[in-house]
Amino acid sequence: MAKVSMVLNGKSVSADVEDRTLLVGFIRDVRGLTGTHVGCDTSQCGACVVHVNGKAVKACTLLAAQADGAEVVTLEGVGSADNLHPVQAAFREHHGLQCGFCTPGMIMSAIDMINRHGAGNLDEKTIRHELEGNICRCTGYQNIVKAIKAASDQMAGMAQAAE
Ligand code: FES
């Protein structure tokens, strides 16, 4: 067993888990945050993407013990039903989801790519390249790309307005 502590969505949490417990298992099964999905468990689909210390990570590729001491953010930590993150709002507005299974990972990857490239600096080719690790089984990529581009541009406008 391993004692794992982390800051999860801004809250300090800890639990004793089996050494083999994956971060995605810690998030879903130990903490009950089921917004992070498991599509493959083998690092193929991207449904499990969360942010670890500010970077997008497939939570099925990391042991919970490897995230000990880390700051972890899941979909539940980026917005709420009453206060959607601009990326979540853009997915809703541009119909960026079909069955919705890949959506949590898509949104977490999208926020990460906007953070890395800077809001307003994403074109379609870059977004498609960045999404290589996220699979949509409905193959609805067109509206996902549109939603990410719109969110990126909107966030750039918000940043300008705040200056
Ligand atoms: Fe982690 Fe598919 S569940 S990449």
Side-chain angles (χ1 to χ4, degrees), residues 24 37-49 58-61 133:
V24 72
H37 289 171
V38 178
C40 67
D41 226 358
T42 53
S43 184
Q44 307 292 312
C45 75
C48 65
V49 171
K58 289 177 175 172
C60 74
T61 64

Coordinates of all heavy atoms in Angstrom, one line a residue, residues 24 37-49 58-61 133, ligand 1:
V24 N -5.9 7.6 -12.7 CA -7.3 7.7 -13.1 C -8.2 6.9 -12.1 O -9.3 7.3 -11.8 CB -7.5 7.2 -14.5 CG1 -7.3 5.7 -14.7 CG2 -8.8 7.7 -15.1
H37 N -12.9 10.2 -17.8 CA -13.3 8.9 -18.4 C -12.2 7.9 -18.7 O -11.0 8.3 -18.8 CB -14.1 9.1 -19.7 CG -15.4 9.8 -19.4 ND1 -16.3 10.3 -20.4 CD2 -16.1 10.0 -18.2 CE1 -17.4 10.7 -19.9 NE2 -17.3 10.6 -18.6
V38 N -12.5 6.7 -18.8 CA -11.6 5.6 -19.2 C -12.1 5.0 -20.4 O -13.1 4.3 -20.4 CB -11.4 4.5 -18.1 CG1 -10.4 3.5 -18.5 CG2 -10.9 5.2 -16.8
G39 N -11.4 5.2 -21.5 CA -11.8 4.6 -22.8 C -11.0 3.4 -23.2 O -11.5 2.5 -23.9
C40 N -9.8 3.4 -22.7 CA -8.9 2.3 -23.2 C -8.0 1.7 -22.1 O -7.7 0.6 -22.1 CB -8.1 2.7 -24.4 SG -6.8 4.0 -23.9
D41 N -7.6 2.6 -21.2 CA -6.7 2.2 -20.1 C -5.3 1.8 -20.6 O -4.4 1.3 -19.9 CB -7.2 0.9 -19.4 CG -7.1 1.1 -17.9 OD1 -6.6 2.1 -17.4 OD2 -7.6 0.2 -17.2
T42 N -5.0 2.1 -21.9 CA -3.7 1.8 -22.5 C -3.1 3.0 -23.2 O -2.3 2.8 -24.1 CB -3.8 0.6 -23.4 OG1 -4.8 0.9 -24.4 CG2 -4.2 -0.7 -22.7
S43 N -3.4 4.2 -22.8 CA -2.8 5.4 -23.3 C -3.1 5.7 -24.8 O -2.4 6.4 -25.4 CB -1.3 5.3 -23.1 OG -0.6 6.4 -23.5
Q44 N -4.2 5.2 -25.3 CA -4.5 5.3 -26.7 C -5.6 6.5 -26.9 O -5.5 7.2 -27.9 CB -5.1 4.0 -27.3 CG -4.3 2.8 -27.1 CD -3.0 2.8 -27.9 OE1 -3.0 3.2 -29.0 NE2 -1.9 2.5 -27.2
C45 N -6.6 6.6 -26.0 CA -7.7 7.4 -26.4 C -7.8 8.8 -25.9 O -8.4 9.7 -26.5 CB -9.0 6.6 -26.0 SG -9.3 6.8 -24.2
G46 N -7.2 9.1 -24.8 CA -7.2 10.5 -24.3 C -8.4 10.9 -23.5 O -8.5 12.0 -23.1
A47 N -9.3 9.9 -23.3 CA -10.5 10.3 -22.5 C -10.2 10.6 -21.0 O -11.0 11.3 -20.3 CB -11.5 9.1 -22.5
C48 N -9.0 10.2 -20.6 CA -8.6 10.3 -19.2 C -7.7 11.5 -18.9 O -7.2 11.6 -17.8 CB -7.9 9.1 -18.7 SG -6.3 8.8 -19.6
V49 N -7.6 12.5 -19.9 CA -6.7 13.6 -19.7 C -7.1 14.5 -18.5 O -8.2 14.9 -18.4 CB -6.5 14.4 -21.0 CG1 -5.7 15.7 -20.7 CG2 -5.9 13.6 -22.1
K58 N -2.3 11.9 -19.6 CA -3.3 10.8 -19.6 C -3.2 10.1 -18.2 O -2.2 9.5 -17.9 CB -2.9 9.9 -20.7 CG -3.2 10.5 -22.1 CD -2.9 9.6 -23.2 CE -3.3 10.2 -24.6 NZ -2.8 9.5 -25.7
A59 N -4.3 10.2 -17.5 CA -4.2 9.7 -16.1 C -4.1 8.2 -16.0 O -3.9 7.7 -14.9 CB -5.5 10.2 -15.3
C60 N -4.3 7.5 -17.1 CA -4.1 6.1 -17.1 C -2.6 5.7 -17.3 O -2.3 4.5 -17.3 CB -5.0 5.4 -18.1 SG -4.4 5.6 -19.8
T61 N -1.8 6.7 -17.5 CA -0.4 6.4 -17.8 C 0.5 6.6 -16.5 O 1.7 6.4 -16.6 CB 0.2 7.3 -18.9 OG1 0.2 8.6 -18.5 CG2 -0.5 7.1 -20.2
G133 N -3.6 12.9 -29.7 CA -3.7 11.9 -28.6 C -5.1 11.8 -28.1 O -5.4 11.0 -27.1
Ligands
FES1 FE1 -6.2 6.8 -20.8 FE2 -7.6 5.9 -22.9 S1 -8.1 5.8 -20.8 S2 -5.7 7.1 -22.8

